[in-house]
Amino acid sequence: MPQRIHLIESSVLLYLVIGFVQGCVGWAGVFWWPKSHPLAASVVLCAMTAIAVMGLTAQLTAGKHFNRQVLVLILLLGGVVGLASAWVMWQMPGSSQPSNRGGTVLMTSWTVSSFVLAYILIPFIQAWPTRKQGRYRYSDLYRHSWDNFFILMVAAMLTLGFWLLIVLWVMLFKMVGIELFETLFFNAVFPWLSLAMVFSLGVRLARTHESVIGALRKIALSLCSFLMPLTAVITILLGGSLPFTGLSPIWDTGYSTPILLCLISANLLFVNGIVQDGTVRSLPGGLVRLYELSMVLLPVYAVIGIYSVSLRIDQYGLTPNRIFLLALVVVATCYSVVYASAVLWRSAVWMGIIRQGNMVIALMIGALILLLHSPVLNPMALSAGDQYQRLVTQRILPQEFDFGALKFHLGSPGLAYLQQLKQLPAEHPLTPTLRTWLLAVDEATSYSQWKRHKQSEGIADHPLVEFVTDSHTVPQEFLQMLDEDQCRKATCYLFPVDLDRDGVEELVLLNMQERWSVLELYDVDDTGQWVQQGRLGNSMRKEQRRALVDQLRQQQHRVVSPHYQDLEIGGEVFMFER
C-alpha cells in the first residue's frame, strides 16, 4: 500500500507556504530574467512554469488521499510542462530579430494550451488514489473536473477582490497626501508574493466549503439540462436545412469552421451536464430522442469542418493558425464519433459509452497539446516547410508568394527555408525570378515594410484588363475611365452582354484585384463616355469570381428577365426590390 504523506487540506500554513514559493519563484524569474541568453531564459521559464503547475496541483490534491504516488505524478506533470515551456522559449527569436513574431505566436498558443493541459490532467492525479483495480472511476474524474473549475473561480474572485481593496487603500491615502502605501504595495515584490498567497488561500477556502462547491456544480448541471433542448433543436434544424441550401453558403462565410466547432462544443458540454457521472438511467422519452438525433448529426458537422479546413489548406497552404484549427476539428470529430456511437450502441446506462470515450479523448488532447508544442508537430516548421514546397513545386507563383511570412511570421524554421531558397541551384527554373524577391525581403526590416514594398512593386503603369474570351479588344475609352489604382495589381476581366435589350452590348467588369468585390455593369452614355450603371449581385470573394470567369469561358450564362416589373405612378418609378 502506498505510504501516505500527511498534507492536511484545511491547513492554512500549507497553502501559505505553497503560495509564497510560487510568488518568490515568479518574482525572481521576472527580476533576473536573462534577456540576452536564450538557454538561460529557457531554464528560468521551465522553473517558473514547473513550480506554478506543481504548486497548483498540490493545492488541489492535498488531503487524506495524498501519497507518494501522487507526489511523483505531481513532479512528473510539473516537469513535462516545464520542459515544454523551455522548448517554446527556445523558439523565441533573439534580439537580432525583433520583428520576427513567429515565436510569439507559439508562446501565446502555449500559454493558453498549458492551462488547458493542467485542467485536463490534474483530475487524473486527484483520482489516482481512489482507483479500483487499477482503473479510474469516471465519477471521480467527472466530479474533480467540475469542482476544480469552481474552486479556481472562487480563488480568482478572492484574489481580484483583495487587489481591488489594495488599490482602494493606496488611492484613499494618496488622496490625503500619504504616499507611503503606494511605495509599499506598488512595487516589484509585493504583488507577486501577495497575489500568489491570496490565490492559494482562495483554493483552500473553496476546498473547505464542499457544500458550496457542490451547490455551484448542481446549478451548472441544471443550466445544462435547461439549455440542451434548445441546442438540440438548433442542431437538428440546421441539419435539416442543409439538403435545401447546400454547402456553398457555408464556404462563402469564411468562418464556418469556428461556428460549427461552437455548435459541437455546446452539444458536448450540455449532454455531459445531463449525463453527469454516467449513472443516469432514464430521461423523458421525447427529450431523449431529441438529444440522440442531435448527437447523430454531430459527425456531419465535424466532417464539414474538416473539409472546410482542408479546402483552405489546399488553396493557401499550412499556417500555424490553420494547424491549430485543424487540431480542434480533429478533437471535435473524435468526440462526435464517440457520442454518435453512444446513441447507436445501446446500454443499460443512457450514453454510457461516453464515459470511456471522455477519458481516452482527454488524454489524447493532452498528448496533442504537448506534440504541437514540441519538435514533433511544431506548427512553425510544418507551415514553413509546406509553404516552401508550394513555391518550389510551382503550385504558387513567386509574385503571389508571401516571402515576408517566412522571415517575420514563422520563426527560425521560416528563416531556414528562406535560406534554402537563396541556395537553390542556378539551373532551377525559379532562380532568376526569386532573386529579385529575395533581395526585397532581405531589405525589409518589418512585415509591414515588406507588404508595402510588395504592393508598390506589383503596381502596373496601366490597367490590366482583358476580356474573358480573346474575341474582343478592350476599348481605350474604357481603360481611361477606370480609377488610377483600379486593376493595377491583378488582371480584371470584362464580359460583354446586352442586358437592356437595345442591341448594344454592355460590359460586366470582374475586379480580381480586391479580396471582396461585386460585378460592375458599365454602359456608354449619350455623350459616348463609359459610365458605371450599377452592380450585379452581392459582394463575393476572389475565389468565387475566378469560378465565374471559368463558367463564362464555358458559355454557362444566359440573360434572365425579372419576374416582377417596375411600376410607374404619376411619372415616378417605383423599382421592385426583394
Side-chain angles (χ1 to χ4, degrees):
M1 181 176 181
Q3 183 176 352
R4 299 196 180 281
I5 303 175
H6 295 287
L7 291 182
I8 304 174
E9 61 183 297
S10 60
S11 171
V12 175
L13 180 60
L14 171 66
Y15 286 87
L16 284 176
V17 170
I18 294 176
F20 180 77
V21 172
Q22 289 174 314
C24 286
V25 173
W27 167 75
V30 172
F31 186 78
W32 283 294
W33 184 262
K35 296 181 180 180
S36 57
H37 297 83
L39 180 59
S42 300
V43 174
V44 170
L45 185 62
C46 174
M48 293 173 63
T49 310
I51 293 298
V53 171
M54 289 189 291
L56 177 61
T57 310
Q59 293 165 356
L60 293 171
T61 55
K64 60 182 180 180
H65 295 298
F66 196 93
N67 55 44
R68 291 187 182 276
Q69 292 181 354
V70 172
L71 178 60
V72 171
L73 291 175
I74 291 175
L75 295 175
L76 181 62
L77 176 61
V80 169
V81 175
L83 289 176
S85 299
W87 180 83
V88 171
M89 187 66 221
W90 184 253
Q91 304 305 306
M92 294 292 290
S95 56
S96 61
Q97 305 165 3
S99 298
N100 192 323
R101 67 181 189 91
T104 306
V105 173
L106 198 62
M107 179 61 74
T108 302
S109 167
W110 173 242
T111 301
V112 176
S113 300
S114 60
F115 284 104
V116 177
L117 180 65
Y119 184 79
I120 289 174
L121 297 183
I122 287 177
F124 284 91
I125 297 177
Q126 292 172 292
W128 180 270
T130 57
R131 292 171 303 144
K132 282 192 174 181
Q133 298 179 347
R135 294 184 178 182
Y136 281 105
R137 299 191 305 179
Y138 183 75
S139 57
D140 292 338
L141 293 172
Y142 182 87
R143 176 173 52 83
H144 287 308
S145 298
W146 280 96
D147 288 356
N148 288 348
F149 174 80
F150 292 111
I151 289 171
L152 297 177
M153 184 181 69
V154 170
M157 292 174 60
L158 177 64
T159 306
L160 177 62
F162 166 79
W163 189 248
L164 289 177
L165 286 176
I166 292 295
V167 173
L168 178 62
W169 184 348
V170 171
M171 299 305 294
L172 286 173
F173 281 88
K174 187 177 181 180
M175 183 175 61
V176 296
I178 301 176
E179 299 183 356
L180 171 64
F181 297 108
E182 182 179 13
T183 305
L184 183 63
F185 298 142
F186 290 177
N187 55 63
V189 180
F190 180 80
W192 279 101
L193 297 182
S194 63
L195 293 179
M197 295 171 69
V198 170
F199 185 87
S200 183
L201 290 176
V203 174
R204 173 196 172 276
L205 175 66
R207 292 197 64 200
T208 53
H209 290 77
E210 294 182 0
S211 58
V212 176
I213 299 300
L216 291 174
R217 184 175 67 249
K218 290 180 180 179
I219 292 174
L221 300 181
S222 298
L223 293 176
C224 293
S225 300
F226 180 81
L227 294 173
M228 183 57 205
L230 177 60
T231 306
V233 169
I234 295 172
T235 305
I236 295 170
L237 289 178
L238 178 62
S241 66
L242 290 181
F244 303 98
T245 63
L247 298 178
S248 296
I250 295 179
W251 313 140
D252 295 343
T253 61
Y255 48 82
S256 58
T257 303
I259 293 180
L260 292 176
L261 286 176
C262 290
L263 178 63
I264 295 174
S265 300
N267 277 277
L268 299 178
L269 174 64
F270 297 151
V271 164
N272 270 285
I274 295 173
V275 176
Q276 299 184 21
D277 58 0
T279 59
V280 177
R281 293 182 176 272
S282 62
L283 288 170
L287 288 179
V288 167
R289 299 298 172 262
L290 186 69
Y291 300 160
E292 290 178 346
L293 181 56
S294 179
M295 293 299 104
V296 171
L297 287 173
L298 293 186
V300 176
Y301 301 131
V303 170
I304 293 174
I306 289 179
Y307 184 66
S308 178
V309 176
S310 65
L311 281 179
R312 283 287 179 180
I313 293 175
D314 183 66
Q315 291 173 343
Y316 304 108
L318 286 176
T319 64
N321 288 339
R322 293 190 187 112
I323 291 176
F324 292 134
L325 184 60
L326 181 61
L328 290 176
V329 173
V330 169
V331 171
T333 303
C334 294
Y335 273 116
S336 301
V337 171
V338 169
Y339 280 57
S341 301
V343 172
L344 303 176
W345 190 352
R346 299 289 179 177
S347 60
V349 178
W350 183 66
M351 300 287 288
I353 296 178
I354 69 171
R355 292 179 293 181
Q356 291 79 15
N358 283 343
M359 289 189 290
V360 173
I361 297 177
L363 294 175
M364 184 195 76
I365 294 174
L368 183 60
I369 289 175
L370 291 174
L371 290 175
L372 285 171
H373 299 89
S374 72
V376 179
L377 292 179
N378 181 3
M380 300 298 164
L382 293 176
S383 301
D386 181 70
Q387 296 294 342
Y388 172 82
Q389 289 298 326
R390 283 168 54 83
L391 178 61
V392 297
T393 57
Q394 302 185 43
R395 292 180 59 192
I396 183 173
L397 298 176
Q399 55 267 31
E400 298 179 358
F401 186 76
D402 193 356
F403 294 89
L406 290 180
K407 182 176 180 179
F408 300 108
H409 285 176
L410 297 179
S412 300
L415 295 174
Y417 280 105
L418 195 61
Q419 188 63 29
Q420 289 189 32
L421 289 176
K422 297 177 182 179
Q423 296 174 356
L424 286 177
E427 60 273 13
H428 195 281
L430 289 178
T431 300
T433 308
L434 289 180
R435 187 176 295 111
T436 302
W437 293 105
L438 292 174
L439 288 174
V441 77
D442 281 343
E443 294 174 357
T445 58
S446 66
Y447 186 73
S448 58
Q449 183 181 359
W450 153 253
K451 293 295 291 184
R452 287 194 300 269
H453 176 85
K454 184 178 180 182
Q455 292 172 357
S456 63
E457 288 292 326
I459 296 178
D461 57 0
H462 62 278
L464 305 175
V465 182
E466 62 184 51
F467 278 89
V468 171
T469 59
D470 297 331
S471 58
H472 296 75
T473 301
V474 180
Q476 286 297 322
E477 295 80 5
F478 183 87
L479 296 177
Q480 295 172 2
M481 174 271 307
L482 296 174
D483 296 334
E484 292 184 0
D485 60 346
Q486 195 171 3
C487 300
R488 299 296 180 102
K489 301 178 183 178
T491 302
C492 300
Y493 294 96
L494 288 176
F495 173 68
V497 61
D498 183 10
L499 292 182
D500 57 5
R501 312 263 182 173
D502 63 352
V504 179
E505 292 179 330
E506 295 80 45
L507 294 180
V508 176
L509 177 67
L510 291 86
N511 190 337
M512 308 303 292
Q513 177 171 299
E514 307 299 333
R515 184 177 180 183
W516 288 84
S517 180
V518 297
L519 304 185
E520 301 172 359
L521 178 66
Y522 291 86
D523 196 2
V524 179
D525 62 9
D526 296 336
T527 64
Q529 301 295 322
W530 285 95
V531 179
Q532 182 178 350
Q533 301 294 334
R535 61 184 188 179
L536 302 172
N538 299 318
S539 183
M540 295 179 291
R541 291 183 291 112
K542 187 179 294 185
E543 294 79 10
Q544 295 173 285
R545 300 196 299 277
R546 286 175 179 166
L548 289 182
V549 171
D550 294 336
Q551 292 172 354
L552 288 171
R553 286 172 175 167
Q554 298 170 11
Q555 303 297 319
Q556 298 180 16
H557 62 84
R558 64 187 179 91
V559 177
V560 180
S561 300
H563 184 74
Y564 295 100
Q565 304 296 320
D566 299 333
L567 177 64
E568 181 179 352
I569 304 177
E572 184 177 357
V573 178
F574 296 87
M575 301 183 66
F576 174 77
E577 295 182 1
R578 291 188 180 274

